[in-house]
Every structure is written in structure tokens, then in C-alpha cells.
Amino acid sequence: MKEMQAIVETTFDTVYLILVIAIGIRMIRQSRGEKQYYLFGVMAVVLGLGDAFHLVPRAVALCTTGLENFPAALGIGKFITSITMTIFYILLYFVWRVRYKVREHRGLTAGIFGLSALRILLCLFPQNAWTSSQAPLAWGIYRNIPFTILGVIIICLFYQKAGETQDRPFRFMWLTIVLSFGFYLPVVLFADRIPVIGMLMIPKTCAYVWTVWIGYQAMKGAYHEETH
């Protein structure tokens, strides 16, 4: 069973990391000065590289002596991923501003940065015990409160603007974020007590791939229209 888990997870994670980083680099190189697509490319690379800090040690652990023998490496990777995911949503917010030509809402921008700063600050507290195999659940909840609020704001922004502007390429962007949080939060709350819930990280990852794919397809569609 453990060998099968190691093969399936490692294969899935390898494909995921290569895919999102490759798409991100492609978007950066082919953005043609379009800020929204350049930002989306950077966002995809940040997502892939950030997740690699957690997924690579996890793959090594699964393929060798087991997760229980790599608490420090896995914890540090989880810490780095927590920071990079926060940056991911800041970049996605600016994709929203650029795509929909939003010029005002300084209070909203301040709120986005404030929630992000609070999330990162909470991640820095030693009480998180990142390198311990017995990290406290309470701090997992604390640091995810501002992160969840940030996600809800981004969901509402894309849902509202995509509807108002009849933005077909981005019509499901809000849904990808809903799904990513819907699969992620149960893992935070229950995975330590019910390990099988950790499997929800696979559909969560698929939701992020969908997010990146939406941006890439939008870029391809926009440039295709320009040449016809």
C-alpha cells in the first residue's frame, strides 16, 4: 500500500510541478508586454516553485523511510509553501485589477496587503512548530483565518467582474478558487486525526492547475484573435 502511494503521489506531483512551472515560464516569455499575462505567468511559477519546497521532500520521504522520519524537511517546506501561496493570491489580485482595468479601490488593496501581511506574520510565530511532528492544530487555524478571508475576497471579485463584463475566458476563475479552499480547509482541520482526508490535496492541486490553465488559455485566445 505504501509503495503504491509513493508511486501515485510522486508521479502526480512531478507532473503537476513540471506543468505549472512550464506554463508559467511560457506565459512570461509570450506575454508580449501584456501585464496581466506576465503577472499570471509569474503567479504560476511562484505556485510551482513554492509547492516544490513541500512536495519534493514529501516524495523523498514516501520513496525512502516514510513521512514520519522527515518532520523538519516537511515542516519547513510547508512553511515556505504557506508564504508563496499568500504571494500567489496577491498576484492574482493584481491580475484582477489589470484585466478589468480597476484604477481605484485603494482601501481594497490595503486590505489585501493587510490580510497577506497578517497571514505571513502568523506563519512566522514559533508556536506553529513547523519542524515538529506534533504541530498544534490551533495555530494551523489561526494562520488560515486571514488566508481564507483573502480567498473569499478574491472569489467575490472575480465572480462579480467576470459576470459584469461577460468575461467568458475567466467565467470559472472564481470556482477554481472555491474548490481549492473547499479541498484545502478540511485537510487543515482534520487530516491529523483522519489521515485519509489528506487525499483532498490532490483535487486541491487540480483546482490550482485549472486556475493556471484558465490564464494560459485566455492568453492564447487573445493572441489568436489578434492574428485573425
Side-chain angles (χ1 to χ4, degrees):
M1 184 64 182
K2 286 187 176 181
E3 288 182 4
M4 182 59 68
Q5 180 188 6
I7 293 170
V8 172
E9 275 202 42
T10 301
T11 302
F12 176 84
D13 292 341
T14 300
V15 171
Y16 158 66
L17 292 174
I18 292 172
L19 182 63
V20 294
I21 293 172
I23 291 174
I25 292 171
R26 191 176 181 88
M27 290 189 74
I28 291 169
R29 295 179 64 181
Q30 297 183 357
S31 58
R32 300 184 189 176
E34 281 285 341
K35 190 175 180 181
Q36 63 168 306
Y37 301 130
Y38 179 83
L39 284 172
F40 219 107
V42 172
M43 192 177 81
V45 172
V46 167
L47 173 67
L49 292 180
D51 278 354
F53 279 97
H54 175 63
L55 295 178
V56 171
R58 183 176 177 84
V60 172
L62 286 171
C63 294
T64 54
T65 57
L67 298 174
E68 64 278 6
N69 294 310
F70 290 81
L74 291 170
I76 292 170
K78 190 176 177 182
F79 164 70
I80 294 172
T81 299
S82 297
I83 304 298
T84 56
M85 283 309 307
T86 309
I87 296 170
F88 173 90
Y89 280 104
I90 294 173
L91 291 169
L92 187 55
Y93 168 70
F94 280 99
V95 168
W96 174 82
R97 289 186 67 91
V98 174
R99 185 170 183 86
Y100 300 111
K101 300 178 173 59
V102 177
R103 297 286 180 263
E104 299 178 349
H105 298 297
R106 291 184 179 179
L108 176 61
T109 302
I112 294 293
F113 277 113
L115 287 167
S116 300
L118 179 57
R119 153 79 165 181
I120 292 171
L121 179 64
L122 288 170
C123 287
L124 293 172
F125 274 71
Q127 287 87 343
N128 286 284
W130 290 106
T131 58
S132 170
S133 59
Q134 301 296 324
L137 173 62
W139 276 87
I141 295 172
Y142 298 155
R143 65 178 179 263
N144 278 296
I145 291 173
F147 186 57
T148 303
I149 296 171
L150 177 64
V152 170
I153 292 172
I154 300 294
I155 289 165
C156 292
L157 293 177
F158 275 102
Y159 181 81
Q160 179 187 27
K161 281 294 184 181
E164 284 180 2
T165 61
Q166 296 296 300
D167 185 0
R168 186 170 177 79
F170 271 50
R171 68 190 184 280
F172 293 128
M173 180 62 75
W174 67 274
L175 180 58
T176 71
I177 306 166
V178 169
L179 291 173
S180 65
F181 273 92
F183 291 124
Y184 170 69
L185 292 177
V187 175
V188 172
L189 295 172
F190 307 116
D192 286 343
R193 284 174 289 171
I194 312 172
V196 71
I197 289 180
M199 294 295 289
L200 290 177
M201 293 301 278
I202 291 177
K204 183 220 75 165
T205 300
C206 292
Y208 279 119
V209 172
W210 189 11
T211 301
V212 171
W213 188 250
I214 285 174
Y216 180 62
Q217 288 295 103
M219 183 185 76
K220 284 181 63 179
Y223 293 158
H224 179 75
E225 289 178 3
E226 289 178 6
T227 57
H228 288 77

